[in-house]
Amino acid sequence: MTIGTAPPPDVTVPVAAPPEPRRRPAVPPPGLVLSWLLVLLVVAWAVFPGLFTAHGPYAGDPALSFAPPSWEHPFGADQLGRDLFSRAVHGAGTTLTATLVAVLVAFGAGTVIGLAAGYAGGALDTTVMRVVDVLLSIPSLLLAMVIVSVLGYSTYNVALAVGIASIASFARVMRAETIRVTHTDYVEAAHGLGVSRWGVVAGHVLPNALGPVLALAALEFGTAVIAVASLGFLGYGAPPPEPEWGLLVAEGRDFVALYPWISLLPGTVLALVVIATHRISTSLRPNR
């Protein structure tokens, strides 16, 4: 360095920050999209059956007896010449209505019972959980058969029986969530601020404990579809000639070796609906 000259200034060259990667929009899995589309289609069958088929579910043509699937009759015809696709479409209303009633009965009663047992604790909790343990030890379909045998054979008695048989599952999940939420800081703070017990339950415990119960309701919807159809298959549900899915499968069991589409195609619809509802319930399960 020469004497009398100032040192060169410290020049910092700015470095451009690397561009942020572009975030792709979240795309739902194809399986989930197909599941929603299938469920919406079946709901549309139940609400607007006339938009999907021009044939009646009860009218038969002897000339069409055991007709195979075709463009005009996608599911073929049964032994009485009735269009099976029309019967499956109109049967969606019967089966889904019974399933919805069953889930609402189980969800409503199980939520109230589990909430009361989990929040009150003590003797009430012990008594309720022992009853729940007993009910869970009995196969739900067997319990539903016993209940519907007492109530009488009909579609809505089947729905009520399936709902009663599922109450224990909802009560157990709701009790566990209620106990978890009750011991959180914000619930204890609400008690400390003088909020009434009913206010704490309605404003803090119930809304924060319902998530897993709602996911269980979606899961139980598929299980209830199987239960309602199974009881219909066994003859506990709607009597012939009602187009109920379980009854449709039962009507073709004597001809399955020669005319498999009579049972196979309605049974496929039933299986796809159950798989779709289980896929949807998995996506609704809360992440912990």
Side-chain angles (χ1 to χ4, degrees):
M1 180 183 298
T2 307
I3 299 176
T5 60
D10 185 10
V11 179
T12 303
V13 179
V15 179
E20 295 184 358
R22 298 178 63 181
R23 297 182 179 179
R24 296 181 179 180
V27 178
L32 180 60
V33 174
L34 290 176
S35 298
W36 275 110
L37 291 177
L38 177 61
V39 170
L40 292 176
L41 175 62
V42 174
V43 171
W45 283 5
V47 179
F48 307 108
L51 296 178
F52 298 93
T53 176
H55 301 281
Y58 305 107
D61 184 357
L64 294 174
S65 296
F66 301 113
S70 62
W71 181 261
E72 185 178 358
H73 304 281
F75 285 10
D78 62 7
Q79 66 274 20
L80 299 178
R82 296 173 296 189
D83 182 71
L84 282 173
F85 180 72
S86 174
R87 289 179 62 77
V89 169
H90 285 82
T94 303
T95 302
L96 294 187
T97 300
T99 302
L100 183 61
V101 171
V103 173
L104 289 177
V105 169
F107 175 79
T111 298
V112 172
I113 293 172
L115 180 64
Y119 188 75
L124 177 62
D125 183 29
T126 303
T127 303
V128 168
M129 291 314 298
R130 296 296 77 77
V131 174
V132 167
D133 291 340
V134 172
L135 293 177
L136 290 176
S137 66
I138 304 173
S140 58
L141 185 60
L142 177 61
L143 182 59
M145 291 173 60
V146 173
I147 296 172
V148 78
S149 298
V150 174
L151 298 177
Y153 298 171
S154 72
T155 302
Y156 292 101
N157 285 344
V158 164
L160 186 60
V162 172
I164 294 174
S166 303
I167 289 177
S169 299
F170 284 88
R172 182 179 62 175
V173 174
M174 188 63 191
R175 171 190 175 268
E177 289 300 309
T178 301
I179 293 176
R180 179 186 65 82
V181 174
T182 301
H183 291 87
T184 55
D185 294 337
Y186 56 86
V187 172
E188 295 179 358
H191 283 297
L193 293 173
V195 181
S196 65
R197 293 173 65 90
W198 288 109
V200 171
V201 170
H204 299 282
V205 177
L206 181 60
N208 291 284
L210 272 181
V213 185
L214 291 174
L216 177 63
L219 180 64
E220 285 292 327
F221 191 89
T223 305
V225 170
I226 295 178
V228 170
S230 299
L231 292 175
F233 179 87
L234 295 173
Y236 290 90
E242 290 296 321
E244 194 271 329
W245 285 353
L247 187 59
L248 292 182
V249 177
E251 288 176 342
R253 59 186 170 182
D254 294 333
F255 314 102
V256 70
L258 297 176
Y259 313 104
W261 58 85
I262 299 178
S263 292
L264 180 61
L265 295 180
T268 301
V269 172
L270 175 63
L272 290 176
V273 170
V274 173
I275 293 172
T277 54
H278 276 257
R279 179 65 182 88
I280 293 171
S281 68
T282 303
S283 68
L284 296 177
R285 189 174 301 165
N287 297 320
R288 295 291 178 78

